[in-house]
Amino acid sequence: MHLELTEEQRMIQAMARELAESEIASVADEIDREARFPHETVKRMGELGLMGIAIPEQWGGSGSDTIAYVVALEEIAKVCASHAVVMSVDNSLYGEPVLRSGTDAQRERFLKPVASGHAHGCFALTEPEAGSDARNQHTLARRDGDHYVLNGRKLFITNGREASFALVFCQTDAARAHHGITAFVVEKGTPGFTVAKTEDKLGLRASDTAELVFEECRVPVANRLGDEGMGFTIAMATLDGGRIGIAAQAVGIAAGAFERSLAYARERKAFGARIGDHQMVQWMLADMATAIDAARLLTHRAAWLKDREEPYGVAAAMAKLFASDTAMRVTTDAIQVHGGYGYIKEYRVERYFRDAKITQIYEGTSQIQKLVIARDVLGGHDDRA
Amino acid sequence: MKILVLVKQVPDTATQVKIGANPKAIDTAGITWIVSPYDEFAVEEALRIKEKRGQADVVAVTLGPDRAKEALRSCLAMGCDRAIHLNDPAWAEADTLATAKALAAVVKQESPELVLTGRQAIDDDMGAVPAQVAELLGWPCAYWIMEEAVDGDGKTARTGRQVEGGLEIFDVPLPAVLSAQKGLNEPRYPTLKGIMGAKKKEIKDVKAGDLGLGAETPQLSVVALEALPPRPPGRIIQGDVPTAVKELVRSLREDAKAI
């Protein structure tokens, strides 16, 4: 048992915190209000190596580990959850599967630019009728010589408009159901690939969530990630890892809202005392602090297991479930601590509250996490592969 | 060109400093340690000189206990090429002069063209070491520099030094000691690659004996530390504006003697 970050992990954490506080904090409210993708600060994150933290240096990454990734992501999310989600998609939803399932030639072309912060990737699995029921893929890819021809729509794709590379899951053999799903890297600008619209959202308003449309889109066979039929396995393994990042994002959102609540409780006076002196507020603060710590420990454990190359899917599901519920509860209480001021944008906990909700939904809803956990504790088989 | 950057590890600026059980020292429990911010300007400047010239050997040097290695690794993560750690119980009680003697001895061994450091460390704010090092070496020294440009052949550095209301411009012959003031530059963050690469770079451990030095009686010894008295509460002057203004002016004149 060793609950301590290494010196390097602490340095990475400190760097991310400094970047978040001195460059991201000043734009976070504005980009939320204007629903504007923060190109400049996201570029800075890329330059500093935050978009490929656990990707080996050979492929443009920083060659660090999952723990460094989660501590850095938490620091960014503490200040702005929109920046954090861009980071999580480039690192884990796009970078990971291309690293793990790509050939060297594919890593060179499709991973290096993203891991080194020069381009973005996105992960296109969700469809209008395939959310939690991810097997129900209707996007089709039919083989035609040395190409595949893609037809279909992908929905709610984070980074969808900004990404230079889309990891797209398609049905190549409908008869084989989810064993007929195949993954492709589709480059922006490929004829037949368009971004149809950007969604107007409750939270994460500065991140870009888009609908991707494929119409007779010809993709070279060289862009196929893994073999035909491997797509669903790739997607599920990716989401296991992605959930660790979302857990870290949720911890960050909660921790950011908590810090603000704490500052407010020390400052605001009511009934002749600081509100932090009142037991009912203390109660809320104590619950917040405890839940955040527990969520963080679950997240770090999942990251630690992944770094040790041990099974981590259930640990990641538990971390994501608990951390996202924590983010929702803590941000709700953060507004409560602030009273009427908490409901006003100026005090910022309102943004944290709106940003928290999605963590219970994307990369597997809380209900899907419970399914994963229940199957494990009941000893049921994992039929996802 | 070789540049030595002298840095000190200090408590983070956000630390609430408490006096320790030994009243001559602070309580170091739970402190986050950082590279003194003025020294970070010096590191940044050295790295910029290197980038401008295409090549240079930038060496971070510190005197301090084991934990000070972390400050050196931060410098290496920012981009310094190697580091030297002066770490010896003989320096446990070192005052500024003893520190300067040790640092000057390292400078002599390394014989760089330039020594850069912060104008002062933000812990005890003595600001004496840069001048003492220069004096011991017999080198020129420019303090509180806001601008710096080493000429092409590395023989002189044009420096702008902060003075009341402006800059004083010097051509300083090298080798020299320059101390950095805020505004000289904006220090970079270490990149992740820099952080990951820092452990592969050399940190040389140096003992007093390696420099031909021994323990010496400090010229300056701390008698005691005292906490600052709590700030008296502010005063709100009541009454209508004309009366209140009169009272404010009177109070500024007679009580505070500020005007």
Short mmCIF file of all heavy atoms in Angstrom, two decimals, chain A residues 7-8 10-12 15 18-19 22-23 44 48-50 53 57 61-64, chain B residues 40 69-71 73-75 77 188-193 195-200:
data_model
loop_
_atom_site.label_atom_id
_atom_site.label_comp_id
_atom_site.label_asym_id
_atom_site.label_seq_id
_atom_site.Cartn_x
_atom_site.Cartn_y
_atom_site.Cartn_z
N GLU A 7 7.37 12.02 -7.44
CA GLU A 7 7.80 13.41 -7.63
C GLU A 7 7.37 13.91 -9.02
O GLU A 7 6.91 15.04 -9.15
CB GLU A 7 9.32 13.48 -7.48
CG GLU A 7 9.83 14.91 -7.44
CD GLU A 7 11.34 14.98 -7.35
OE1 GLU A 7 11.96 14.02 -6.84
OE2 GLU A 7 11.90 15.99 -7.80
N GLU A 8 7.50 13.05 -10.02
CA GLU A 8 7.10 13.45 -11.37
C GLU A 8 5.60 13.73 -11.45
O GLU A 8 5.18 14.71 -12.06
CB GLU A 8 7.43 12.36 -12.38
CG GLU A 8 8.84 12.46 -12.89
CD GLU A 8 9.29 11.20 -13.59
OE1 GLU A 8 8.42 10.33 -13.87
OE2 GLU A 8 10.48 11.06 -13.83
N ARG A 10 3.70 14.66 -9.10
CA ARG A 10 3.43 15.93 -8.39
C ARG A 10 3.81 17.13 -9.26
O ARG A 10 3.15 18.17 -9.25
CB ARG A 10 4.17 15.97 -7.06
CG ARG A 10 3.35 15.36 -5.92
CD ARG A 10 4.01 15.55 -4.59
NE ARG A 10 5.17 14.68 -4.45
CZ ARG A 10 6.39 15.08 -4.11
NH1 ARG A 10 6.62 16.35 -3.85
NH2 ARG A 10 7.36 14.21 -4.03
N MET A 11 4.92 16.99 -9.99
CA MET A 11 5.34 18.10 -10.86
C MET A 11 4.33 18.32 -11.98
O MET A 11 4.01 19.46 -12.35
CB MET A 11 6.73 17.83 -11.44
CG MET A 11 7.87 18.13 -10.47
SD MET A 11 9.45 17.43 -11.03
CE MET A 11 9.98 18.70 -12.14
N ILE A 12 3.81 17.21 -12.52
CA ILE A 12 2.82 17.31 -13.59
C ILE A 12 1.54 17.94 -13.04
O ILE A 12 0.93 18.81 -13.67
CB ILE A 12 2.56 15.91 -14.21
CG1 ILE A 12 3.81 15.45 -14.96
CG2 ILE A 12 1.34 15.92 -15.13
CD1 ILE A 12 3.83 13.99 -15.37
N MET A 15 2.12 21.63 -12.59
CA MET A 15 2.12 22.33 -13.88
C MET A 15 0.69 22.52 -14.38
O MET A 15 0.31 23.62 -14.80
CB MET A 15 2.96 21.53 -14.88
CG MET A 15 3.06 22.14 -16.25
SD MET A 15 1.77 21.57 -17.36
CE MET A 15 2.57 20.12 -18.04
N GLU A 18 -1.07 25.19 -12.34
CA GLU A 18 -0.61 26.53 -12.66
C GLU A 18 -1.22 27.01 -13.98
O GLU A 18 -1.68 28.14 -14.09
CB GLU A 18 0.91 26.53 -12.76
CG GLU A 18 1.55 27.68 -12.02
CD GLU A 18 3.05 27.54 -12.01
OE1 GLU A 18 3.52 26.55 -11.39
OE2 GLU A 18 3.73 28.36 -12.64
N LEU A 19 -1.20 26.12 -14.96
CA LEU A 19 -1.80 26.45 -16.26
C LEU A 19 -3.28 26.77 -16.08
O LEU A 19 -3.79 27.76 -16.60
CB LEU A 19 -1.63 25.28 -17.23
CG LEU A 19 -2.31 25.47 -18.58
CD1 LEU A 19 -1.49 26.41 -19.45
CD2 LEU A 19 -2.53 24.14 -19.29
N SER A 22 -3.69 30.13 -14.02
CA SER A 22 -3.23 31.41 -14.57
C SER A 22 -3.66 31.64 -16.01
O SER A 22 -3.66 32.77 -16.46
CB SER A 22 -1.73 31.60 -14.38
OG SER A 22 -1.05 30.47 -14.80
N GLU A 23 -4.06 30.60 -16.74
CA GLU A 23 -4.45 30.86 -18.13
C GLU A 23 -5.88 30.43 -18.45
O GLU A 23 -6.54 31.06 -19.27
CB GLU A 23 -3.46 30.20 -19.09
CG GLU A 23 -2.08 30.83 -18.98
CD GLU A 23 -1.06 30.28 -19.97
OE1 GLU A 23 -1.45 29.88 -21.08
OE2 GLU A 23 0.12 30.23 -19.62
N ARG A 44 -2.35 25.55 -25.92
CA ARG A 44 -1.33 25.60 -24.86
C ARG A 44 -1.24 24.24 -24.16
O ARG A 44 -0.15 23.76 -23.85
CB ARG A 44 -1.70 26.67 -23.81
CG ARG A 44 -1.40 28.07 -24.23
CD ARG A 44 0.09 28.37 -24.21
NE ARG A 44 0.61 28.56 -22.86
CZ ARG A 44 1.81 28.15 -22.46
NH1 ARG A 44 2.61 27.49 -23.28
NH2 ARG A 44 2.21 28.38 -21.22
N LEU A 48 2.15 21.79 -23.98
CA LEU A 48 2.77 21.34 -22.73
C LEU A 48 2.75 19.82 -22.58
O LEU A 48 3.31 19.28 -21.63
CB LEU A 48 2.07 22.01 -21.54
CG LEU A 48 2.32 23.52 -21.44
CD1 LEU A 48 1.38 24.15 -20.43
CD2 LEU A 48 3.77 23.80 -21.05
N GLY A 49 2.09 19.14 -23.51
CA GLY A 49 2.11 17.68 -23.48
C GLY A 49 0.92 17.05 -22.78
O GLY A 49 0.96 15.88 -22.41
N LEU A 50 -0.15 17.83 -22.59
CA LEU A 50 -1.29 17.32 -21.83
C LEU A 50 -2.27 16.50 -22.67
O LEU A 50 -3.23 15.97 -22.13
CB LEU A 50 -2.05 18.49 -21.16
CG LEU A 50 -1.31 19.16 -20.01
CD1 LEU A 50 -2.00 20.47 -19.62
CD2 LEU A 50 -1.23 18.25 -18.79
N ILE A 53 -0.65 12.24 -22.48
CA ILE A 53 0.13 12.06 -21.26
C ILE A 53 0.69 10.64 -21.12
O ILE A 53 1.86 10.45 -20.83
CB ILE A 53 -0.73 12.42 -20.02
CG1 ILE A 53 -1.07 13.91 -20.06
CG2 ILE A 53 0.01 12.08 -18.72
CD1 ILE A 53 -1.93 14.39 -18.92
N GLU A 57 6.57 8.46 -25.92
CA GLU A 57 7.19 9.58 -26.63
C GLU A 57 7.34 9.31 -28.12
O GLU A 57 7.22 10.21 -28.94
CB GLU A 57 8.58 9.87 -26.05
CG GLU A 57 8.53 10.71 -24.78
CD GLU A 57 9.91 11.17 -24.36
OE1 GLU A 57 10.61 11.77 -25.20
OE2 GLU A 57 10.30 10.90 -23.21
N GLY A 61 3.64 11.36 -27.65
CA GLY A 61 3.12 11.59 -26.31
C GLY A 61 4.19 11.97 -25.31
O GLY A 61 5.34 12.24 -25.68
N SER A 62 3.80 11.99 -24.05
CA SER A 62 4.72 12.43 -23.00
C SER A 62 5.35 11.26 -22.26
O SER A 62 6.24 11.45 -21.44
CB SER A 62 3.97 13.31 -22.01
OG SER A 62 3.38 14.39 -22.69
N GLY A 63 4.86 10.05 -22.50
CA GLY A 63 5.49 8.88 -21.89
C GLY A 63 5.30 8.79 -20.39
O GLY A 63 6.10 8.15 -19.71
N SER A 64 4.23 9.41 -19.88
CA SER A 64 3.98 9.28 -18.45
C SER A 64 2.93 8.19 -18.23
O SER A 64 2.85 7.25 -19.02
CB SER A 64 3.54 10.64 -17.90
OG SER A 64 3.45 10.56 -16.50
N GLU B 40 13.41 31.66 -10.63
CA GLU B 40 12.77 31.13 -11.86
C GLU B 40 12.97 32.09 -13.03
O GLU B 40 13.14 31.65 -14.17
CB GLU B 40 11.27 30.91 -11.65
CG GLU B 40 10.96 29.58 -11.01
CD GLU B 40 9.48 29.21 -11.11
OE1 GLU B 40 8.65 30.14 -11.27
OE2 GLU B 40 9.19 28.02 -11.03
N LYS B 69 16.77 18.87 -3.72
CA LYS B 69 16.93 18.20 -5.03
C LYS B 69 15.70 18.39 -5.90
O LYS B 69 15.78 18.45 -7.12
CB LYS B 69 17.16 16.70 -4.82
CG LYS B 69 18.50 16.29 -5.29
CD LYS B 69 18.83 14.86 -5.29
CE LYS B 69 20.34 14.73 -5.33
NZ LYS B 69 20.98 15.05 -4.06
N GLU B 70 14.54 18.46 -5.24
CA GLU B 70 13.30 18.63 -5.99
C GLU B 70 13.30 19.97 -6.74
O GLU B 70 12.80 20.04 -7.85
CB GLU B 70 12.13 18.56 -5.02
CG GLU B 70 10.97 17.80 -5.58
CD GLU B 70 9.91 17.51 -4.54
OE1 GLU B 70 10.18 16.70 -3.62
OE2 GLU B 70 8.84 18.10 -4.65
N ALA B 71 13.88 20.98 -6.12
CA ALA B 71 13.97 22.29 -6.79
C ALA B 71 14.87 22.16 -8.02
O ALA B 71 14.57 22.73 -9.08
CB ALA B 71 14.52 23.34 -5.83
N ARG B 73 15.34 19.46 -9.74
CA ARG B 73 14.62 18.71 -10.78
C ARG B 73 13.60 19.59 -11.49
O ARG B 73 13.36 19.43 -12.68
CB ARG B 73 14.01 17.44 -10.23
CG ARG B 73 14.91 16.23 -10.54
CD ARG B 73 14.27 14.91 -10.23
NE ARG B 73 14.07 14.74 -8.81
CZ ARG B 73 14.95 14.14 -8.01
NH1 ARG B 73 16.07 13.64 -8.49
NH2 ARG B 73 14.72 14.03 -6.72
N SER B 74 13.01 20.55 -10.77
CA SER B 74 12.11 21.50 -11.45
C SER B 74 12.87 22.30 -12.50
O SER B 74 12.36 22.54 -13.59
CB SER B 74 11.51 22.49 -10.45
OG SER B 74 10.66 21.83 -9.57
N CYS B 75 14.09 22.71 -12.16
CA CYS B 75 14.91 23.47 -13.11
C CYS B 75 15.27 22.60 -14.32
O CYS B 75 15.24 23.06 -15.46
CB CYS B 75 16.20 23.97 -12.45
SG CYS B 75 15.90 25.11 -11.09
N ALA B 77 13.50 20.12 -15.39
CA ALA B 77 12.25 19.94 -16.15
C ALA B 77 11.98 21.15 -17.03
O ALA B 77 11.46 21.03 -18.13
CB ALA B 77 11.08 19.69 -15.20
N ARG B 188 8.62 29.89 -18.22
CA ARG B 188 7.80 28.87 -18.88
C ARG B 188 7.34 27.83 -17.87
O ARG B 188 7.95 27.68 -16.80
CB ARG B 188 8.64 28.19 -19.97
CG ARG B 188 9.79 27.33 -19.42
CD ARG B 188 10.81 27.00 -20.48
NE ARG B 188 11.48 28.20 -20.98
CZ ARG B 188 12.23 28.22 -22.08
NH1 ARG B 188 12.43 27.12 -22.78
NH2 ARG B 188 12.80 29.34 -22.48
N TYR B 189 6.28 27.08 -18.22
CA TYR B 189 5.95 25.90 -17.44
C TYR B 189 6.83 24.78 -17.96
O TYR B 189 7.13 24.74 -19.15
CB TYR B 189 4.50 25.47 -17.67
CG TYR B 189 3.48 26.51 -17.38
CD1 TYR B 189 2.65 26.99 -18.37
CD2 TYR B 189 3.32 27.00 -16.09
CE1 TYR B 189 1.69 27.95 -18.10
CE2 TYR B 189 2.36 27.96 -15.82
CZ TYR B 189 1.55 28.43 -16.83
OH TYR B 189 0.60 29.38 -16.57
N PRO B 190 7.20 23.86 -17.09
CA PRO B 190 7.87 22.68 -17.63
C PRO B 190 6.87 21.91 -18.48
O PRO B 190 5.70 21.85 -18.14
CB PRO B 190 8.24 21.88 -16.38
CG PRO B 190 7.31 22.33 -15.32
CD PRO B 190 6.97 23.76 -15.65
N THR B 191 7.30 21.37 -19.61
CA THR B 191 6.39 20.52 -20.39
C THR B 191 6.40 19.13 -19.76
O THR B 191 7.30 18.80 -18.98
CB THR B 191 6.86 20.38 -21.84
OG1 THR B 191 8.12 19.71 -21.85
CG2 THR B 191 7.00 21.74 -22.51
N LEU B 192 5.42 18.32 -20.11
CA LEU B 192 5.42 16.95 -19.60
C LEU B 192 6.67 16.21 -20.02
O LEU B 192 7.24 15.45 -19.24
CB LEU B 192 4.17 16.21 -20.09
CG LEU B 192 3.12 16.10 -19.00
CD1 LEU B 192 2.07 17.13 -19.19
CD2 LEU B 192 2.55 14.73 -18.94
N LYS B 193 7.10 16.44 -21.26
CA LYS B 193 8.33 15.78 -21.72
C LYS B 193 9.52 16.23 -20.89
O LYS B 193 10.40 15.45 -20.56
CB LYS B 193 8.57 16.09 -23.20
CG LYS B 193 7.93 15.08 -24.09
CD LYS B 193 8.30 15.33 -25.55
CE LYS B 193 7.29 14.56 -26.39
NZ LYS B 193 7.22 15.00 -27.76
N ILE B 195 9.44 17.24 -17.80
CA ILE B 195 9.32 16.61 -16.48
C ILE B 195 9.79 15.16 -16.55
O ILE B 195 10.55 14.68 -15.71
CB ILE B 195 7.86 16.70 -15.97
CG1 ILE B 195 7.48 18.15 -15.69
CG2 ILE B 195 7.67 15.84 -14.72
CD1 ILE B 195 6.00 18.40 -15.42
N MET B 196 9.33 14.46 -17.60
CA MET B 196 9.70 13.05 -17.73
C MET B 196 11.19 12.89 -18.02
O MET B 196 11.80 11.89 -17.66
CB MET B 196 8.89 12.38 -18.86
CG MET B 196 7.40 12.37 -18.64
SD MET B 196 6.91 11.64 -17.07
CE MET B 196 7.38 9.94 -17.36
N GLY B 197 11.77 13.90 -18.70
CA GLY B 197 13.19 13.81 -19.06
C GLY B 197 14.12 14.23 -17.94
O GLY B 197 15.32 13.95 -17.97
N ALA B 198 13.57 14.91 -16.92
CA ALA B 198 14.42 15.48 -15.87
C ALA B 198 15.21 14.42 -15.12
O ALA B 198 16.36 14.63 -14.73
CB ALA B 198 13.56 16.30 -14.90
N LYS B 199 14.60 13.25 -14.95
CA LYS B 199 15.29 12.23 -14.15
C LYS B 199 16.48 11.63 -14.89
O LYS B 199 17.33 10.98 -14.29
CB LYS B 199 14.31 11.16 -13.69
CG LYS B 199 13.76 10.31 -14.80
CD LYS B 199 12.90 9.17 -14.26
CE LYS B 199 12.12 8.55 -15.41
NZ LYS B 199 10.79 8.16 -15.08
N LYS B 200 16.51 11.85 -16.20
CA LYS B 200 17.64 11.30 -16.97
C LYS B 200 18.84 12.26 -16.94
O LYS B 200 19.92 11.93 -17.40
CB LYS B 200 17.22 11.05 -18.43
CG LYS B 200 16.17 9.96 -18.56
CD LYS B 200 15.67 9.84 -20.00
CE LYS B 200 14.28 9.22 -20.04
NZ LYS B 200 13.39 9.86 -21.02
#
